[in-house]
């Protein structure tokens, strides 16, 4: 009996406009997933972003891969204790969802509220963990309702998260198809190397099929490097073995600091037989 070889997952990319211009052929050739990284900054969201969106639309003519967007995150937290700041964050999310609606985006990345500081301190004060979740709900309730109506999913990305389960529980607490989980491999590897968090593949196992998005970047466990896969010490075989057990088909998005060399990391993962 001949064994059928399982298809390797297809890599996508997180790119700004200039990076999309560089790698448009590579994206379109295999209809790869794409994450747009032009619309998270306050000055962009407050400005006239429509001409930029039109340029991106033109470049994506013929693209049938899944389209995502990195949502706003600069200068704020989803769990702010200040209701006025929560109102600003809610407005930023609304602005970003305007972009999603204009471009047909079906997934938007938002940043986790969990920090290294909060890892133990949330349990140092009775009720603090529950109040954090409540504040995130207050911040995101309008965005979640709108995302549901649009068919867009907000995926919560780990930043400093030391406990891979807390973010998964936060996403589940919304009881909404519009809130799921993202994993950034470099952030997880930083937490593992610098704060005693578990290895990256544990984050995949903890999320299970709630995982719908992965930022693929390499690091050394010391900082958020955004190196090309193969340049750091992430155990890619373990990560992709964990991913292979999922049925949620998460978007596998290369997110590197040097977009011009994007395909270097893609080639490394392909040479390892892990992805295409």
């Amino acid at each position: 009996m001949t064994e059928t070889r399982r298809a390797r997952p297809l890599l996508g990319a997180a790119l700004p406009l200039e990076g999309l211009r560089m790698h448009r052929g590579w994206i379109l050739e295999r209809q790869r997933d794409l994450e747009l990284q032009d619309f998270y900054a306050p000055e962009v969201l407050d400005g006239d972003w429509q001409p930029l969106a039109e340029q991106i639309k033109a470049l994506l003519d013929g693209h049938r891969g899944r389209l995502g967007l990195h949502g706003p995150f600069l200068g704020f937290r989803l769990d702010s204790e200040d209701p006025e700041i929560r109102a600003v964050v809610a407005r930023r999310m609304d602005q970003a969802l305007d972009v999603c609606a204009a471009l047909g985006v079906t997934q938007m990345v938002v940043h986790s509220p969990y920090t290294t500081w909060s890892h133990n301190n949330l349990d140092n004060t009775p009720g603090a963990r529950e109040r954090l979740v409540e504040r995130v709900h207050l911040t995101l309730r309008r965005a979640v309702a709108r995302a549901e109506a649009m068919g867009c999913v907000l995926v919560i990305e780990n930043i400093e998260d030391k406990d891979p389960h807390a973010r998964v529980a936060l996403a589940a607490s919304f009881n909404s198809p519009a809130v799921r989980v993202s994993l950034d491999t470099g952030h997880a590897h930083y937490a593992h190397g610098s704060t005693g968090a578990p290895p990256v593949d544990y984050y995949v196992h903890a999320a299970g099929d709630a995982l719908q998005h992965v930022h693929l970047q390499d690091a050394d466990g010391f900082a958020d490097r955004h190196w090309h896969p193969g340049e750091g010490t992430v155990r890619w075989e373990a990560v992709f073995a964990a991913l292979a057990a999922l049925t949620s088909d998460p978007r596998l998005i290369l997110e590197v600091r040097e977009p011009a060399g994007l395909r270097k990391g893609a080639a490394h993962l392909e040479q390892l037989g892990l992805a295409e």
Side-chain angles (χ1 to χ4, degrees), residues 186-187 190 217-228 232 255-258:
H187 296 171
Y190 155 76
Q217 56 132 325
D218 216 336
D220 54 5
F222 181 77
D224 184 25
R225 301 294 196 179
H226 286 270
W227 287 337
H228 304 291
E255 189 191 41
V256 294
R257 199 177 300 278
E258 184 203 359

Side-chain angles (χ1 to χ4, degrees), residues 20 49 76 95 97 106-108 128 139 147 164 170 172 174 178 184 205 208 241:
L20 176 56
W49 49 261
F76 63 72
Q95 288 175 311
L97 286 170
T106 56
Q107 190 179 79
M108 185 169 83
T139 303
L170 173 62
F174 282 88
D184 186 297
H205 292 302

Side-chain angles (χ1 to χ4, degrees), residues 38-53:
D38 299 280
F39 299 98
Y40 62 82
E43 61 271 19
V44 174
L45 295 174
D46 282 340
D48 181 10
W49 49 261
Q50 284 83 0
L52 175 59

Side-chain angles (χ1 to χ4, degrees), residues 16 30 35-36 42 128 155 158 163 176 191 200 254 256 263 266-267:
R30 296 289 302 276
E35 179 187 318
L36 304 173
V155 287
N158 59 307
D163 174 7
S176 168
V200 181
L254 290 161
V256 294
R263 281 177 264 182

Side-chain angles (χ1 to χ4, degrees), residues 113-114 133 136-137 140 144 154-157 165-182 210-211:
Y114 294 103
V133 172
V136 175
H137 276 252
L140 288 183
V144 171
L154 308 179
V155 287
I156 306 175
E157 175 188 6
H165 295 278
R167 189 176 79 272
V168 179
L170 173 62
S173 72
F174 282 88
N175 193 28
S176 168
V179 186
R180 290 293 185 265
V181 176
S182 166
L211 186 66

Side-chain angles (χ1 to χ4, degrees), residues 13-27:
L15 295 167
L17 175 63
E18 288 308 311
L20 176 56
R21 286 191 175 118
M22 291 177 197
H23 300 291
R24 180 177 182 272
W26 184 75
I27 295 288

Side-chain angles (χ1 to χ4, degrees), residues 42-256:
E43 61 271 19
V44 174
L45 295 174
D46 282 340
D48 181 10
W49 49 261
Q50 284 83 0
L52 175 59
E54 289 302 318
Q55 292 181 69
I56 289 170
K57 269 187 183 179
L59 287 170
L60 289 179
D61 184 31
H63 180 246
R64 297 186 302 278
R66 296 175 291 187
L67 189 61
L69 180 141
H70 201 305
F73 63 91
L74 293 173
F76 63 72
R77 295 170 48 78
L78 295 181
D79 65 321
S80 176
E81 290 88 348
D82 188 330
E84 292 193 24
I85 293 176
R86 290 201 300 270
V88 170
V89 178
R91 181 168 66 87
R92 292 293 185 216
M93 294 296 159
D94 209 34
Q95 288 175 311
L97 286 170
D98 286 343
V99 179
C100 292
L103 288 169
V105 165
T106 56
Q107 190 179 79
M108 185 169 83
V109 178
V110 299
H111 278 187
S112 170
Y114 294 103
T115 66
T116 303
W117 172 262
S118 68
H119 177 69
N120 288 325
N121 281 306
L122 281 174
D123 296 320
N124 192 38
T125 304
R129 189 173 294 277
E130 293 76 15
R131 287 193 295 273
L132 180 150
V133 172
E134 180 182 358
R135 293 193 301 272
V136 175
H137 276 252
L138 290 171
T139 303
L140 288 183
R141 60 187 175 187
R142 190 170 73 198
V144 171
R146 187 176 176 193
E148 284 181 1
M150 292 170 54
C152 185
V153 178
L154 308 179
V155 287
I156 306 175
E157 175 188 6
N158 59 307
I159 304 303
E160 298 179 41
D161 305 58
K162 186 173 178 179
D163 174 7
H165 295 278
R167 189 176 79 272
V168 179
L170 173 62
S173 72
F174 282 88
N175 193 28
S176 168
V179 186
R180 290 293 185 265
V181 176
S182 166
L183 166 65
D184 186 297
T185 58
H187 296 171
H189 196 48
Y190 155 76
H192 173 57
S194 295
T195 71
V200 181
D201 58 302
Y202 278 57
Y203 285 72
V204 179
H205 292 302
D209 283 325
L211 186 66
Q212 293 195 1
H213 173 274
V214 181
H215 275 154
L216 299 168
Q217 56 132 325
D218 216 336
D220 54 5
F222 181 77
D224 184 25
R225 301 294 196 179
H226 286 270
W227 287 337
H228 304 291
E231 293 181 340
T233 54
V234 170
R235 297 293 301 273
W236 292 112
E237 291 87 349
V239 172
F240 276 84
L243 290 170
L246 306 183
T247 62
S248 56
D249 189 23
R251 305 181 193 192
L252 304 181
I253 304 294
L254 290 161
E255 189 191 41
V256 294

